[in-house]
Amino acid sequence: MSFEKQRLDITDRVVGKFTDGQLNLYLESEKIGQMVSENQYNLKQGYEFQNSRFYQYADVPSKRDEKYVDCDDENGWC
């Protein structure tokens, strides 16, 4: 199985929460960064803000039908 990096638009899934006067950004329950100033964000590696959109870089299988399956007997691959 091989993977390739893809840039995924996650804008609709990013949520901002104020904590101690800072606007922190979350993707689901994971903190991905914080707002520095208007339209400027300090994001974790693998995330990007561009043209008013948030993106995540993720490894996805190169072939559509390939899937990772966690199997205990095969050290994670079957």
Side-chain angles (χ1 to χ4, degrees), residues 1 4 12 21 25 32 36 57-59 62 73 76 78:
M1 173 180 282
E4 62 184 35
D12 294 337
L25 303 172
I32 63 168
V36 177
Y57 289 89
D59 292 323
S62 326
D73 296 342
C78 10

Side-chain angles (χ1 to χ4, degrees), residues 14-15 17 19-20 22-35 42-45 47:
V14 174
V15 174
K17 296 180 185 178
T19 307
D20 297 326
Q22 291 185 335
L23 180 62
N24 295 309
L25 303 172
Y26 293 85
L27 177 63
E28 296 166 5
S29 61
E30 178 186 1
K31 182 178 174 185
I32 63 168
Q34 60 188 207
M35 184 176 190
N42 183 14
L43 301 174
K44 287 174 57 175
Q45 185 174 356
Y47 296 91

Side-chain angles (χ1 to χ4, degrees), residues 8-77:
L8 307 172
D9 187 337
I10 59 168
T11 305
D12 294 337
R13 297 172 43 210
V14 174
V15 174
K17 296 180 185 178
F18 275 104
T19 307
D20 297 326
Q22 291 185 335
L23 180 62
N24 295 309
L25 303 172
Y26 293 85
L27 177 63
E28 296 166 5
S29 61
E30 178 186 1
K31 182 178 174 185
I32 63 168
Q34 60 188 207
M35 184 176 190
V36 177
S37 65
E38 187 175 343
N39 288 326
Q40 290 189 346
Y41 302 91
N42 183 14
L43 301 174
K44 287 174 57 175
Q45 185 174 356
Y47 296 91
E48 175 182 56
F49 180 77
Q50 185 178 41
N51 299 324
S52 299
R53 309 293 294 175
F54 288 98
Y55 297 95
Q56 177 184 32
Y57 289 89
D59 292 323
V60 295
S62 326
K63 297 179 184 173
R64 285 187 91 204
D65 295 332
E66 281 189 319
K67 292 183 177 35
Y68 173 83
V69 179
D70 191 4
C71 299
D72 293 331
D73 296 342
E74 300 296 328
N75 295 323
W77 296 94

